[in-house]
């Protein structure tokens, strides 16, 4: 049994402008100790997926369908009490912006110790000791002195370290990191990712790492899910995503990774923006931006299938899947891109990967 | 900056403000049209010329104005507010009246806070639900109802019709139970006047705080909702409530004046109205000064509470 199995998750937000299909039919699984990446542009539904796993979707949001099984038990069936005993103790979360994630009026130490007292039943002193130990573990100098500091006395990097200490303080089995480094500058980003990687290995914690940045995923994760407009559009082991991406959107994401050593501004982004989730375009929701789109892409919604065999790959256990009509036999032309990989492994060569040679059909 | 340095700095800032208050209070006397001594003597043409001369001496009217001010200030600092030809020693008048007003004000405050904070929290947590709408309507009524009218209505219903309360204060000492019982109606009148506004501020500040990221972090830790709201959110929300509460001290004070008259409560407010009617200017001056100082002190206290609530202020 996998640690986490998300099956056919559907989350909607009932806003004044209409119903937002924030997450629509997402399935994936995370094994114990595994590092799983979730990638996609802003608004793809990554955070909503993560918050669903924590059962922290607020009004006007609603989890409308699917199952989230953690160690075999459906979190969506649990009452508030049960889910609270899992939050922070078995599944913990690191948020995007540590500065706003910490409460400004309580000391950093107290905010960590609070979780320890709650879940591990430690008394004040034992919780304090463990907090200091955790602060030390995440690389905060003079942890005993910094215990009573307030968040505003910490630098951005240190705040994120403190949040990581908080998340790991009760030794969770799954750590969900929602863009943990977006708010930090590049050198700190690398340090924090390394720290997460190291601690996850040490504590045997599985990670669900959410990011915009495929480069980050390559350095950290084992398997990846790419999301677009609330749906999974490609799932694959991380090597495959690098050497052999199958979905044009993934290819676009890859080419937007800047190349190291290239003086010219090669940061190509995918032209256009993600569609409005209230009114998705018919057919493949990526078609308005896809260089290979054909007439049929506006009519048929591509299912997630195994790109080799064309077999359905929507299930929790599917290792490899891509949602593009090229793999269902509906597309007339071939997807006209090639991937050039330089360097020895995807981990060292990630930022020097690939190129679109261009599609020959335009819509 | 440590908390101690913050407190010291804040205390020092009070000095120029108090100076301003004293200058303004002092000038009340100067702004009175006509001869101040005549006014003080009640514009009585048959007044004793000797008394007039004594007053002139006492107020140092023969000296330049800044000397008059300094001499007056020196007296005030020793709690000597002068001698009124109408009511005698002003300090004594104030001292006998002050405890009743402090008691009324304190009880009004407690009632305001005890009603407003829980109601505001409850409305915020149940935002846009029935409880929130009810509290909104109640607040509208509260804000729209004049103090004196509410006071009169309470008197009418609970004292005259139902007979639960006497309609004038019993003639016993201030802390006697039957006096405290009598005080309940005026204190409710005074307190509820501030409740409505305080509750709305509490609610909106809490609604705003509930949307902040740290709330999500607190929930993600697995904390019960009660702890999230009463520990994490409440403290942050109180920061803006305290500011408003301090500003409202002024309205509590002028509320107290009206209410004391309505309920014949033997406090400074009632004395102030009497003094104004009698043109007993020295008493007016003394009370106005006291009000000014107490508002300054209330704001000082608010700032200290503020610093205690929010570490970002004190560091
Ligand atoms: N509280 C909310 N109310 C209304 N709509 C929401 C709410 N939260 C999320 N959404 C909608 O759900 C969609 C998915 O949002 P989500 O936050 O999951 O995106 P994301 O992939 O995490 O993007 P980002 O990279 O910007 O964090 C968005 O279109 C957003 O508008
Ligand atoms: S289905 Fe069509 S539009 Fe969608 S990704 Fe494939 S080619 Fe592009
Ligand atoms: Mg997000």
């Amino acid at each position: 049994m996998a640690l986490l199995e998300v099956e056919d998750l559907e989350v909607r937000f009932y806003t004044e402008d209409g119903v937002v299909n924030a997450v629509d039919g997402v399935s994936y699984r995370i094994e114990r100790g595994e590092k799983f990446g979730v990638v996609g542009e802003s608004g793809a539904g990554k955070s909503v997926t993560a918050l669903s796993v924590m059962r922290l979707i607020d009004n006007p949001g609603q989890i409308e369908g699917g199952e989230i099984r953690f160690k075999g038990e459906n979190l969506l069936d649990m009452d508030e009490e049960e889910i609270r005993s899992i939050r922070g103790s078995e599944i913990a979360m690191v948020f995007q912006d540590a500065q706003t994630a910490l409460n400004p009026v309580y000391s950093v130490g107290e905010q960590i110790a609070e979780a320890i007292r709650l879940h591990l039943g430690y008394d004040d002193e034992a919780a304090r000791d463990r907090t200091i130990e955790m602060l030390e573990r995440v690389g905060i100098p003079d942890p005993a002195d910094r215990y009573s500091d307030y968040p505003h006395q910490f630098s951005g990097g240190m705040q994120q370290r403190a949040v990581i200490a908080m998340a790991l303080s009760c030794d969770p089995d799954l750590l969900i990191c929602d863009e943990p480094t977006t708010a930090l500058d590049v050198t700190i980003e690398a340090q924090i990712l390394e720290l997460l990687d190291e601690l996850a290995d040490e504590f045997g914690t599985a990670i669900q790492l959410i990011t915009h940045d495929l480069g980050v995923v390559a350095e950290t994760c084992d398997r990846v899910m790419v999301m677009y407009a609330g749906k999974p559009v490609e799932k694959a082991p991380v090597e495959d995503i690098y050497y052999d991406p199958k979905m044009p959107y993934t290819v676009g994401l890859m080419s937007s990774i800047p190349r190291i050593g290239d003086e010219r501004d090669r940061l190509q982004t995918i032209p256009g923006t993600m569609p409005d989730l209230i009114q998705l375009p018919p057919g493949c929701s990526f078609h308005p931006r896809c260089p290979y789109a054909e007439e049929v892409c506006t009519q048929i919604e591509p299912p997630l299938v195994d790109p080799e065999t064309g077999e359905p790959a929507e299930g929790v256990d599917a290792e490899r899947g891509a949602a593009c009509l090229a793999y269902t036999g509906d597309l007339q032309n071939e997807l006209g891109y090639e991937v050039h990989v330089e360097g020895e492994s995807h981990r060292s060569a990630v930022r020097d990967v690939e190129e679109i040679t261009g599609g020959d059909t335009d819509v | 900056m440590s908390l101690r340095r913050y407190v010291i700095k804040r205390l020092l800032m009070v000095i120029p403000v108090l100076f301003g208050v004293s200058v303004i209070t002092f000038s009340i006397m100067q702004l009175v049209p006509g001869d101040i001594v005549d006014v003080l003597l009640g514009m009585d043409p048959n007044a004793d010329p000797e008394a007039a001369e004594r007053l002139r001496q006492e107020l140092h009217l023969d000296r330049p104005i800044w000397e008059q001010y300094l001499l007056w200030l020196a007296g005030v600092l020793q709690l000597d507010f002068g001698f009124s030809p109408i009511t005698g020693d002003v300090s004594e008048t104030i001292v006998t009246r002050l405890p009743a007003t402090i008691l009324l004000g304190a009880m009004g405050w407690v009632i305001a806070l005890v009603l407003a904070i829980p109601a505001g929290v409850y409305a915020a947590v149940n935002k846009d639900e029935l409880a929130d709408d009810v509290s909104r309507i109640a607040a509208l009524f509260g804000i729209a109802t004049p103090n004196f009218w509410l006071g009169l209505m309470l008197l009418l219903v609970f004292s005259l019709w139902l007979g639960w309360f006497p309609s004038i204060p019993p003639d016993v000492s201030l802390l006697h139970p039957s006096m405290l019982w009598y005080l309940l109606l005026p204190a409710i009148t005074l307190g509820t006047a501030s409740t409505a506004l305080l509750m709305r501020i509490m609610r909106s500040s809490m609604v705003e705080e509930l949307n902040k990221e740290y709330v999500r972090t607190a929930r993600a830790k697995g904390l019960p909702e009660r702890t999230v709201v009463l520990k994490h959110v409440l403290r942050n929300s109180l920061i803006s409530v305290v500011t408003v509460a301090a500003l409202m001290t002024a309205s509590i004070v002028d509320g107290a004046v009206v209410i004391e008259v309505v309920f014949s409560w033997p406090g400074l407010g009632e004395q102030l109205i009497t003094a104004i009617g009698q043109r007993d200017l020295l008493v007016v001056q003394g009370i106005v000064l006291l009000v000014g100082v107490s508002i300054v002190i209330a704001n000082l206290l608010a700032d200290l509470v503020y610093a205690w609530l929010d570490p970002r202020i004190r560091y």
Side-chain angles (χ1 to χ4, degrees):
Chain A
M1 180 191 3
L3 179 67
L4 178 76
E5 294 167 311
V6 173
E7 187 170 349
D8 209 11
L9 181 67
E10 281 179 30
V11 185
R12 297 201 181 90
F13 286 89
Y14 293 88
T15 66
E16 278 172 19
D17 302 329
V19 182
V20 181
N21 292 293
V23 173
D24 188 7
V26 169
S27 301
Y28 62 96
R29 67 164 206 287
I30 301 178
E31 303 289 345
R32 281 179 185 275
E34 192 185 25
K35 289 166 193 140
F36 184 75
V38 179
V39 193
E41 282 169 294
S42 194
K46 309 180 298 292
S47 299
V48 172
T49 306
L51 290 170
S52 305
V53 174
M54 299 289 283
R55 278 258 312 264
L56 284 174
I57 297 290
D58 270 342
N59 272 332
Q62 210 77 46
I63 301 181
E64 305 247 284
E67 284 194 7
I68 300 174
R69 291 184 295 273
F70 182 71
K71 298 179 178 171
E73 282 195 68
N74 188 359
L75 299 179
L76 302 182
D77 288 342
M78 291 185 177
D79 62 29
E80 192 56 28
E81 190 98 354
E82 286 173 292
I83 193 75
R84 269 203 286 109
S85 69
I86 288 182
R87 273 187 210 140
S89 91
E90 296 191 61
I91 307 179
M93 193 151 175
V94 172
F95 295 95
Q96 179 166 348
D97 185 353
Q99 193 189 344
T100 54
L102 290 166
N103 189 335
V105 304
Y106 287 101
S107 71
V108 172
E110 165 57 22
Q111 293 185 59
I112 300 172
E114 175 179 50
I116 298 174
R117 291 195 302 262
L118 178 74
H119 292 297
L120 305 182
Y122 285 22
D123 63 17
D124 288 0
E125 199 165 329
R128 187 190 166 90
D129 290 345
R130 182 164 168 89
T131 301
I132 292 172
E133 195 185 303
M134 287 307 303
L135 286 174
E136 171 140 46
R137 196 57 207 80
V138 297
I140 289 183
D142 304 320
D145 293 340
R146 308 300 306 248
Y147 180 95
S148 44
D149 276 5
Y150 290 91
H152 72 273
Q153 293 169 291
F154 274 37
S155 68
M158 289 214 310
Q159 287 170 342
Q160 194 58 290
R161 282 169 197 268
V163 170
I164 292 171
M166 181 190 296
L168 289 174
S169 63
C170 301
D171 199 5
D173 292 314
L174 175 62
L175 182 64
I176 301 179
C177 304
D178 191 353
E179 310 193 25
T181 56
T182 318
L184 304 172
D185 66 45
V186 189
T187 38
I188 313 275
E189 168 173 28
Q191 291 170 11
I192 295 283
L193 287 171
E194 199 174 314
L195 177 73
L196 272 175
D197 205 29
E198 198 184 301
L199 288 176
D201 288 342
E202 186 186 320
F203 287 67
T205 310
I207 287 189
Q208 173 174 332
L209 178 65
I210 297 171
T211 170
H212 291 241
D213 187 345
L214 268 175
V216 167
V217 163
E219 281 163 56
T220 328
C221 298
D222 307 314
R223 287 186 307 123
V224 189
M225 171 169 74
V226 179
M227 288 183 74
Y228 187 75
K231 298 190 188 74
V233 293
E234 183 155 5
K235 285 201 278 188
V238 75
E239 291 84 356
D240 289 355
I241 286 278
Y242 276 90
Y243 293 115
D244 195 13
K246 291 295 191 189
M247 160 77 191
Y249 177 63
T250 315
V251 176
L253 278 183
M254 305 262 286
S255 56
S256 56
I257 301 174
R259 295 154 182 243
I260 285 170
D262 196 333
E263 291 302 308
R264 285 166 299 154
D265 182 16
R266 290 296 297 273
L267 186 81
Q268 282 177 274
T269 45
I270 311 167
T273 53
M274 227 183 45
D276 183 356
L277 293 182
I278 294 172
Q279 232 180 354
L280 284 176
C284 173
S285 33
F286 187 54
H287 84 251
R289 302 169 72 187
C290 180
Y292 315 108
E294 297 175 4
E295 186 66 37
V296 65
C297 300
T298 64
Q299 290 152 7
I300 307 178
E301 187 179 334
L304 202 62
V305 295
D306 186 320
E308 306 299 329
T309 63
E311 296 290 314
E314 316 245 284
V316 174
D317 292 319
E319 284 296 320
R320 188 80 169 99
C324 173
L325 294 176
Y327 309 110
T328 58
D330 293 303
L331 207 66
Q332 276 168 357
N333 293 302
E334 305 249 305
L335 298 178
Y337 60 85
E338 274 172 45
V339 177
H340 303 289
V341 181
E342 292 154 31
E344 267 143 46
S345 82
H346 71 276
R347 296 207 194 256
S348 58
V350 284
R351 285 168 198 276
D352 201 8
V353 211
E354 70 82 83
E355 188 166 276
I356 294 183
T357 53
D360 34 30
T361 41
D362 274 68
V363 167
Chain B
M1 187 161 57
S2 71
L3 185 55
R4 217 174 86 204
R5 273 193 57 195
Y6 174 80
V7 171
I8 292 172
K9 194 180 111 189
R10 195 58 193 74
L11 284 174
L12 289 177
M13 276 162 57
V14 165
I15 294 173
V17 179
L18 286 179
F19 174 73
V21 170
S22 73
V23 169
I24 290 170
T25 318
F26 175 75
S27 27
I28 290 180
M29 290 302 218
Q30 314 304 317
L31 297 176
V32 172
D35 183 12
I36 184 78
V37 172
D38 289 347
V39 175
L40 284 174
L41 290 175
M43 303 303 260
D44 182 359
N46 309 320
D48 179 5
E50 243 173 71
E53 193 45 42
R54 229 191 7 257
L55 257 179
R56 245 173 250 289
Q57 288 286 318
E58 224 170 75
L59 297 173
H60 313 287
L61 291 181
D62 47 340
R63 311 273 185 95
I65 184 114
W66 60 271
E67 260 185 65
Q68 287 180 35
Y69 168 74
L70 286 179
L71 287 162
W72 171 79
L73 188 63
V76 163
L77 288 177
Q78 298 163 48
L79 300 182
D80 173 9
F81 295 93
F83 193 91
S84 151
I86 302 169
T87 46
D89 185 10
V90 176
S91 306
E92 210 179 292
T93 311
I94 289 178
V95 167
T96 44
R97 290 282 185 150
L98 188 59
T101 292
I102 289 181
L103 194 65
L104 172 65
M107 213 151 134
W109 255 129
V110 169
I111 288 175
L113 293 177
V114 162
L115 290 178
I117 290 180
V121 170
Y122 193 77
V125 170
N126 299 291
K127 178 168 165 288
D128 295 334
E129 284 167 30
L130 184 66
D132 190 23
D133 294 334
V134 170
S135 85
R136 189 183 322 233
I137 292 167
L140 261 179
F141 273 108
I143 291 170
T145 309
N147 249 342
F148 71 91
W149 185 83
L150 178 64
L152 287 174
M153 285 302 124
L154 289 177
L155 263 181
L156 185 68
V157 174
F158 292 100
S159 302
L160 296 183
W161 291 355
L162 296 173
W164 294 356
F165 297 87
S167 50
I168 49 162
D171 189 17
V172 290
S173 78
L174 202 55
L175 292 173
H176 190 280
S178 63
M179 194 66 157
L180 293 178
W181 176 246
Y182 178 78
L183 181 58
L184 214 53
L185 285 188
I188 287 174
T189 314
L190 182 60
T192 48
S194 314
T195 303
L197 190 59
L198 263 185
M199 178 185 76
R200 294 307 292 170
I201 303 277
M202 181 73 225
R203 176 201 174 271
S204 62
S205 131
M206 191 138 204
V207 164
E208 192 187 322
E209 291 294 327
L210 275 168
N211 280 322
K212 296 217 170 141
E213 296 260 326
Y214 69 80
V215 179
R216 182 178 279 176
T217 314
R219 287 185 181 137
K221 261 187 253 186
L223 296 176
E225 192 60 19
R226 193 168 17 92
T227 314
V228 173
V229 172
L230 296 183
K231 178 176 175 184
H232 287 268
V233 183
L234 183 60
R235 184 154 172 184
N236 280 289
S237 326
L238 280 177
I239 292 171
S240 43
V241 173
V242 167
T243 316
V244 177
L247 293 175
M248 279 174 46
T249 315
S251 74
I252 287 258
V253 168
D254 58 50
V257 172
V258 176
I259 287 162
E260 285 185 5
V261 174
V262 170
F263 288 91
S264 334
W265 184 250
L268 280 179
E270 200 204 31
Q271 180 72 55
L272 179 64
I273 299 295
T274 316
I276 290 172
Q278 298 174 331
R279 295 173 191 268
D280 191 353
L281 281 181
L282 284 173
V283 172
V284 173
Q285 188 183 41
I287 294 178
V288 168
L289 182 67
L290 208 65
V291 167
V293 170
S294 58
I295 289 175
V296 171
I297 290 175
N299 279 286
L300 175 68
L301 285 178
D303 273 2
L304 299 184
V305 173
Y306 199 87
W308 171 71
L309 285 173
D310 188 353
R312 285 163 298 184
I313 310 275
R314 60 185 126 108
Y315 287 97

